[in-house]
C-alpha cells in the first residue's frame, strides 16, 4: 500500500502556518458569512488573502458576488487538483483587490467519492491531500481561509488536515453546540496527522448582544468539548441581523460594503417620494454588523500575532 507524504515531507508545508479552517459540523452557523466578511475585510486592509471553498452550494460566491462570473468554475479546478495532485489555481475576485479564491460548486459533489477511495488506500494520510496541493502557493498569501461544508466529515477532515488554525462559528442554540462536539472529535483525530492544528477560537454568530448567561453557558461547553486550557469563545460576537444577511447575499456585498453603500443611498424620505420599496433600501444595522466583523477581524489577527510571537 502506498502512503501520502507525511507532514514534514509536503513541499512548502511551512507556508501553511497562516491557514485557517472555518468549520462546524452543524449547518447554518455562519461559516460562510465569517469567511466572506473576514476575507473581504483583510483584503481591503491590504492583506493578500486566499479563500478556498469546499462547499458544493458555494454560498461564498453569493456573498462575494462572483456566482456565474467568468472565474466561477463551480469547483472543477479544485476537484481536478485533489484528484491529480496538481497545485491549486487561485483566481482574483472581481472588484476586490488582494482577494483571491479557489471556487467551490457543483463539481465538488464528486469529491466525497474521491476521498472515500483515498481513505481506503491511504488511511488518515488522505486528510493531507488538500495540504499538499495548497502548500506550494500558500506562501503567496498573508492569510488563507478555508470555508467548509456542514455534515461532511471527509471534506472537513481535508480542511483540518491542512490548517494551522480552526475557527469555529456557532449559534448559541443546541444544534451548533452538538455540531461543535462532533467537530471536536474530528479535531482530535486530525491532530494525529496534522499536529500543527490548534483551536484559534469559537465565534458566537447571529446572537443577541445582551445574552451574557447564554454566552457563559456556551463558553463552558466549548471548554469541555475541547479540553480545559483550550482557546475560549472569542470576545467578538456577530450580532443577529437577518435583514443584513439577506441584503448581503442578494447583492453579493459583505457587511462593511453594505455599510458604505447605505451611507451613499438617498435619504429615506427621498426613496419614499420616489416610490422605492423599503426592502430595496439597505438597513442602517449594516454598520453594527460591519463593526462586529471588524472587531472579530482584529481579534483574530491579535491571536495570530500572539501565537506567532510566542512560537
Ligand atoms: N448576522 C446575522 N444574523 C442572523 N443571520 C445571519 C447573519 N449573517 C448571516 N445570517 C444568515 O444565517 C444563515 C447561515 O449563514 P451561513 O451561510 O454563513 O452559515 P453556514 O454555516 O456557512 O451554512 P452552511 O452550513 O449551510 O454552509 C444564512 O441564511 C445567512 O443569511
Ligand atoms: Mg456555508
Amino acid at each position: 500500500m502506498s502512503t501520502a507524504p507525511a507532514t514534514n515531507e509536503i513541499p512548502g508545508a511551512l507556508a501553511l502556518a497562516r491557514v485557517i479552517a472555518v468549520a462546524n459540523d452543524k449547518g447554518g452557523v455562519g461559516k460562510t458569512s465569517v469567511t466572506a466578511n473576514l476575507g473581504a475585510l483583510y483584503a481591503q486592509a491590504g492583506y493578500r488573502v486566499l479563500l478556498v471553498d469546499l462547499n458544493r452550494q458555494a454560498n461564498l460566491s453569493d456573498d462575494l458576488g462572483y456566482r456565474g462570473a467568468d472565474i466561477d468554475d463551480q469547483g472543477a479546478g479544485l476537484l481536478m487538483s485533489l484528484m491529480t495532485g496538481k497545485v491549486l489555481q487561485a483566481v482574483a475576485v472581481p472588484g476586490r483587490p488582494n482577494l483571491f479564491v479557489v471556487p467551490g460548486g457543483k463539481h465538488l459533489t464528486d469529491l466525497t467519492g474521491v476521498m472515500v477511495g483515498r481513505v481506503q488506500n491511504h488511511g488518515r494520510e488522505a486528510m493531507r491531500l488538500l495540504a499538499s496541493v495548497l502548500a506550494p502557493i500558500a506562501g503567496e498569501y498573508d492569510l488563507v481561509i478555508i470555508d467548509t461544508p456542514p455534515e461532511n466529515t471527509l471534506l472537513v477532515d481535508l480542511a483540518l488536515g491542512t490548517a494551522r488554525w480552526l475557527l469555529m462559528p456557532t449559534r448559541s442554540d443546541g444544534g451548533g453546540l452538538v455540531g461543535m462536539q462532533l467537530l471536536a472529535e474530528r479535531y482530535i483525530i486530525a491532530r494525529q496527522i496534522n499536529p500543527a492544528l490548534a483551536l484559534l477560537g469559537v465565534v458566537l454568530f447571529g446572537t443577541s448582544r445582551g445574552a451574557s448567561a447564554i454566552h457563559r453557558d456556551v463558553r463552558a461547553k466549548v471548554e469541555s468539548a475541547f479540553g480545559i486550557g483550550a482557546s475560549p469563545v472569542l470576545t467578538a460576537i456577530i450580532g443577529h441581523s437577518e435583514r443584513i444577511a439577506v441584503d448581503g447575499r442578494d447583492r453579493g456585498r459583505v457587511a462593511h460594503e453594505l455599510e458604505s453603500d447605505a451611507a451613499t443611498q438617498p435619504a429615506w424620505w427621498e426613496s419614499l417620494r420616489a416610490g422605492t420599496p423599503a426592502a430595496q433600501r439597505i438597513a442602517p444595522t449594516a454598520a453594527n454588523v460591519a463593526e462586529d466583523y471588524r472587531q472579530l477581524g482584529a481579534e483574530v489577527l491579535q491571536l495570530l500575532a500572539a501565537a506567532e510571537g510566542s512560537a
Side-chain angles (χ1 to χ4, degrees), residues 27-33 55 150 171 205-206 238-242 245 249:
V29 294
K31 299 178 290 294
T32 302
S33 302
N55 290 268
R171 296 204 186 239
F205 176 84
I238 304 303
H240 182 84
S241 174
E242 234 160 298
R249 203 154 272 186

Side-chain angles (χ1 to χ4, degrees), residues 5 10-11 16 82 85-88 128-136 162:
I10 290 176
L16 297 172
L82 291 169
K86 211 171 142 250
V87 174
L88 280 182
R128 294 294 282 168
L129 196 53
L130 177 62
S132 63
V133 295
L134 175 62
T162 304

Side-chain angles (χ1 to χ4, degrees), residues 48-273:
R48 208 174 139 86
V49 183
L50 173 63
L51 307 179
V52 179
D53 186 5
L54 290 179
N55 290 268
R56 223 158 30 107
Q57 293 185 8
N59 288 135
L60 191 64
S61 69
D62 300 315
D63 286 356
L64 293 172
Y66 63 82
R67 186 181 288 278
D70 289 349
I71 65 158
D72 186 9
D73 72 354
Q74 290 285 317
L78 176 54
L79 178 69
M80 206 263 290
S81 282
L82 291 169
M83 285 174 70
T84 62
K86 211 171 142 250
V87 174
L88 280 182
Q89 292 257 323
V91 286
V93 177
R96 291 189 178 82
N98 302 321
L99 190 60
F100 298 82
V101 67
V102 176
K106 65 180 182 202
H107 294 294
L108 299 184
T109 308
D110 299 335
L111 185 53
T112 305
V114 170
M115 281 301 291
V116 169
R118 292 280 173 156
V119 170
Q120 276 165 0
N121 290 330
H122 302 292
R124 283 182 189 158
E125 289 290 343
M127 292 173 86
R128 294 294 282 168
L129 196 53
L130 177 62
S132 63
V133 295
L134 175 62
I137 59 161
E140 296 167 24
Y141 302 93
D142 298 307
L143 277 165
V144 180
I145 309 177
I146 307 174
D147 182 22
T148 63
E151 297 181 34
N152 188 322
T153 306
L154 286 171
L155 300 197
V156 170
D157 283 352
L158 267 183
L160 297 183
T162 304
R164 168 72 179 87
W165 298 109
L166 167 61
L167 183 62
M168 192 177 60
T170 183
R171 296 204 186 239
S172 42
D173 62 17
L177 296 171
V178 171
M180 182 189 74
Q181 253 137 17
L182 290 168
L183 186 68
E185 289 164 18
R186 303 315 301 170
Y187 169 85
I188 289 161
I189 293 168
R191 277 178 49 88
Q192 293 166 11
I193 202 84
N194 177 20
L197 178 67
L199 177 64
L200 188 63
V202 172
V203 184
L204 273 169
F205 176 84
T207 186
S208 82
R209 228 163 282 275
S212 49
I214 291 176
H215 297 175
R216 262 198 308 280
D217 187 41
V218 173
R219 188 178 296 274
K221 286 185 169 129
V222 172
E223 281 168 6
S224 80
F226 283 88
I228 302 292
S231 302
V233 178
L234 300 185
T235 309
I237 63 165
I238 304 303
H240 182 84
S241 174
E242 234 160 298
R243 174 71 196 276
I244 292 309
V246 172
D247 279 358
R249 203 154 272 186
D250 283 354
R251 293 164 199 249
R253 306 281 283 163
V254 294
H256 72 268
E257 294 165 342
L258 289 175
E259 178 188 35
S260 42
D261 295 349
T264 56
Q265 70 186 348
W268 67 267
W269 62 87
E270 289 173 35
S271 295
L272 189 68
R273 266 210 312 262

